[in-house]
Amino acid sequence: MNTTDSTQAPAPVIASVIVAMVEPPVIAPTLLTAPDRILRIAPLADAGLRIEGELDRATLPALRRALASMASGGAGFCVDLSSLTFIDTGCLRALVSAAAALHDSGGDRVLTLRSVPPQVRRLLELTGWHQTPGLHLQAPARPGCPTPGPAHA
């Protein structure tokens, strides 16, 4: 009788997280649980970021760095979520906190979320975070990043 256990837990996969902000792209290895979970944060021509892939605990540091780099500028900015496939509450909180920090720094600086997936919009509404000063949820039908405007739609 064979008593050895032949089942093994799958080994974690190392994937690249691509963070391209104002500077040239930086590729940093990040521990992810599946090979298809890649995050890309790319700059937009009109003062913003486009997020593609999943935002979770593993990708939170990259999100925070990207938001901090945008917040250091003199104006508000836009985050395009049209290619977002997943977001956990920690990353959602990071977006909301970045908006609040912009508001608290004075002026009319606003973080605009563009192309917010319906389930993310619902989470923001259920938590009340959609009313965060400095956060603007762009109406679903409006293309492009608007200039900073009202704190919420």
Side-chain angles (χ1 to χ4, degrees), residues 61-134:
L63 174 64
R64 284 186 176 151
R65 284 191 304 272
L67 291 172
S69 74
M70 293 303 297
S72 64
F77 61 96
C78 173
V79 176
D80 181 336
L81 301 177
S82 60
S83 297
L84 183 72
T85 57
F86 175 82
I87 187 168
D88 69 7
T89 55
C91 292
L92 192 59
R93 182 182 299 269
L95 288 169
V96 170
S97 296
L102 280 175
H103 175 76
D104 292 346
S105 68
D108 292 331
R109 296 175 62 188
V110 174
L111 184 139
T112 299
L113 296 181
R114 175 173 80 183
S115 302
V116 181
Q119 64 274 27
V120 175
R121 185 177 292 274
R122 182 147 195 262
L123 278 174
L124 286 166
E125 291 169 356
L126 287 172
T127 58
W129 290 348
H130 68 292
Q131 296 177 338
T132 300

Side-chain angles (χ1 to χ4, degrees), residues 36-50:
D36 59 339
R37 290 179 53 199
I38 295 176
L39 170 68
R40 175 178 289 157
I41 301 175
L44 293 173
D46 51 354
L49 300 169
R50 178 180 171 94

